[in-house]
Amino acid sequence: MDWQLSDDVQPSARVPAHLLLDPTPVPVTGAWRPGDDPGERLFARLGDLTTEHGATIPSTVVAYETWGTLNEARDNAILVNHALTGDSHVVGAAGPGHATSGWWAGVVGAGLPLDTDRWFVVAPNMLGGCQGSSGPATIGPDGRELGSRFPRVTIRDQVEAQRRLADHLGIDRWHAVVGGSMGGMHVLEWAVTHPERLGKAAVLAAPPISSADQIALNGLQLEAVQSDPHWLGGEYYDQPDGQGPHKGLALARRMAMVNYRSPDELNRRFGRGWQSSVDPDHGGRYQVESYLDVHGNRFTRRFDAGSYVRLVLAMSSHDLGRGRGGVEAALSRITAETLVVGIDSDRLFPVADQQRIAAGLSTSVSGDAPVVLSSEFGHDGFLIETDAVGALLRELVG
Ligand SMILES: CC(=O)SCCNC(=O)CCNC(=O)[C@H](O)C(C)(C)COP(=O)(O)OP(=O)(O)OC[C@H]1O[C@@H](n2cnc3c(N)ncnc32)[C@H](O)[C@@H]1OP(=O)(O)O
Ligand SMILES: N[C@@H](CCO)C(=O)O
């Protein structure tokens, strides 16, 4: 690497406002302190990080949010890991006059399954992400986004960044580490790499290894982004008029959304309905196409294409058994009491994946089979079925 990050990293004034995904300058705050505002985004500078592939990320920054209070014994902390395009914003402000927001707002909070009156909940933005942690959109000392200079990272690299965050916060052992989808991959890596540092684990809708089928879906999405003429090898940030690989990124999201939802749900919701007054056979659109367009377009307004490519590559690299004698040998190293949850309509990470995890564990809370939730929402069920997911998590954390 021929670049170094300085301590006063600032967003570039040259970047068109609508491409500036995260306009917050990156002041490197100190560690969390009792009394800090819940849900306030903090940043930890975690030193140079050498990736599994031997590249160095200088002055790695991880953005994170916390809720609740770390007790004196420092043994009430729960790590929550987000999925591919999530962030540290698990839950926002709640109360009179405040809407509750965040991707697991029904799960984390006072009196909720991960009860913040009792637990100290920590949620980092993953390494390579675009919501505050080091990633391709990070501004380098030359005032330009790192773009392709940001190296490939793996699930293990992302967990290493989180391990450093735990050290930074003075948390030797998590009461529990939980996460869904790609976040579940992080949970598994935590449980295998640092078995002594967590008591309990929850793996939701995640596989122990990315299969050919999953890599194929990822590869198509990567191609969609990288074949956009505005991708420019990942150096697209300074194009005139805010141009960028928006079409490619939106197409990738549309492809992904199909796998996040189930055929039954899409068929029930949309059938063969038209979105327009014009018959699709004569140029109009089907409702389901419109739905995917909305999600694809919306996504380009909140996510960086370079980050997306790095994170999808990280997901494809996932193999719990790499260098450990295979998946089953790796699973046998897990000592955390583990909840494994699958969703019966998940076509992205099907229940067979969670069956393999549960069967390989000696510490699964449901024996050698996973808990299977019945939901028509497919993979996204872990985000939507918060009552069922929350009840399972409440029981796990005790
Ligand atoms: C841990 C993490 O992964 S965090 C990241 C998760 N969040 C995301 O991925 C953000 C993208 N959103 C999603 O994936 C999903 O919306 C979820 C999982 C968050 C929630 O799912 P649901 O509540 O079932 O929302 P759904 O997918 O039905 O989308 C609803 C939107 O589609 C719109 N929509 C529905 N039908 C159509 C249609 N025919 N044409 C256009 N838009 C449509 C709705 O108007 C609604 O828009 P609104 O949000 O402005 O109200
Ligand atoms: N909706 C989720 C699905 C992937 O788990 C996301 O975008 O992160």
Side-chain angles (χ1 to χ4, degrees):
M1 279 292 125
D2 58 354
W3 48 272
Q4 286 288 316
L5 288 180
S6 61
D7 277 346
D8 56 348
V9 205
Q10 296 291 329
S12 166
R14 294 173 296 105
V15 183
H18 72 283
L19 276 186
L20 199 54
L21 290 144
D22 184 355
T24 317
V26 185
V28 177
T29 48
W32 174 88
R33 289 193 176 79
D36 276 355
D37 283 345
E40 182 191 359
R41 195 162 49 161
L42 302 170
F43 301 88
R45 175 94 65 204
L46 301 171
D48 297 355
L49 189 150
T50 302
T51 67
E52 243 192 303
H53 297 307
T56 302
I57 303 171
S59 307
T60 302
V61 172
V62 166
Y64 66 101
E65 293 177 50
T66 72
W67 299 265
T69 301
L70 188 59
N71 63 17
E72 272 189 25
R74 294 179 175 266
D75 63 0
N76 69 331
I78 294 179
L79 179 68
V80 175
N81 281 296
H82 67 75
L84 177 68
T85 70
D87 52 36
S88 63
H89 202 57
V90 178
V91 55
H98 290 92
T100 302
S101 63
W103 57 265
W104 246 4
V107 173
V108 176
L112 292 177
L114 300 185
D115 186 350
T116 51
D117 286 339
R118 197 168 158 214
W119 306 113
F120 177 61
V121 176
V122 180
N125 178 218
M126 70 172 91
L127 179 68
C130 56
Q131 297 299 330
S133 293
S134 296
T138 296
I139 307 295
D142 57 359
R144 306 178 72 86
E145 292 76 5
L146 297 176
S148 62
R149 292 178 292 173
F150 188 82
R152 276 190 186 219
V153 292
T154 64
I155 301 293
R156 294 183 193 181
D157 296 328
Q158 293 169 326
V159 166
E160 169 57 14
Q162 294 179 2
R163 196 272 306 163
R164 293 183 186 196
L165 176 65
D167 290 353
H168 176 80
L169 294 171
I171 296 167
D172 290 337
R173 182 175 163 89
W174 299 101
H175 176 74
V177 177
V178 311
S181 192
M182 191 172 179
M185 299 178 186
H186 296 126
V187 175
L188 287 168
E189 278 295 341
W190 259 103
V192 171
T193 313
H194 306 292
E196 72 291 354
R197 296 197 66 165
L198 64 159
K200 302 185 185 213
V203 181
L204 313 172
I209 181 171
S210 288
S211 66
D213 181 51
Q214 291 146 9
I215 292 169
L217 296 167
N218 287 344
L220 293 174
Q221 292 172 46
L222 293 174
E223 188 60 27
V225 177
Q226 293 174 323
S227 62
D228 187 307
H230 295 293
W231 166 249
L232 302 180
E235 305 299 335
Y236 53 83
Y237 295 94
D238 265 343
Q239 294 178 71
D241 305 324
Q243 287 172 350
H246 313 315
K247 274 186 100 163
L249 184 61
L251 178 57
R253 183 63 169 180
R254 284 154 63 195
M255 291 175 178
M257 280 299 295
V258 175
N259 294 299
Y260 297 159
R261 314 303 283 233
S262 76
D264 282 350
E265 185 210 359
L266 294 179
N267 294 340
R268 177 189 58 75
R269 280 178 78 173
F270 304 111
R272 295 184 50 80
W274 311 348
Q275 192 68 23
S276 51
S277 55
V278 183
D279 176 345
D281 285 345
H282 295 89
R285 277 193 311 171
Y286 289 103
Q287 279 180 15
V288 70
E289 294 174 317
S290 162
Y291 170 75
L292 294 179
D293 283 346
V294 160
H295 277 293
N297 294 337
R298 200 176 272 181
F299 186 60
T300 64
R301 294 194 285 273
R302 74 173 178 91
F303 218 85
D304 173 56
S307 244
Y308 192 73
V309 165
R310 284 290 182 271
L311 300 188
V312 169
L313 286 168
M315 209 163 45
S316 288
S317 81
H318 174 55
D319 175 1
L320 198 63
R322 184 170 59 247
R324 295 169 172 153
V327 165
E328 274 64 35
L331 287 168
S332 72
R333 287 158 58 166
I334 294 179
T335 54
E337 193 183 320
T338 303
L339 168 70
V340 185
V341 180
I343 297 158
D344 60 358
S345 56
D346 187 343
R347 57 175 154 178
L348 179 63
F349 298 137
V351 166
D353 284 336
Q354 295 86 51
Q355 270 162 352
R356 189 171 176 192
I357 299 170
L361 294 174
S362 58
T363 53
S364 157
V365 297
S366 56
D368 60 6
V371 176
V372 179
L373 295 182
S374 181
S375 167
E376 74 161 359
F377 293 116
H379 179 65
D380 268 349
F382 80 94
L383 295 166
I384 298 169
E385 305 281 7
T386 47
D387 286 350
V389 166
L392 291 167
L393 290 176
R394 190 191 289 274
E395 196 179 339
L396 176 77
V397 298

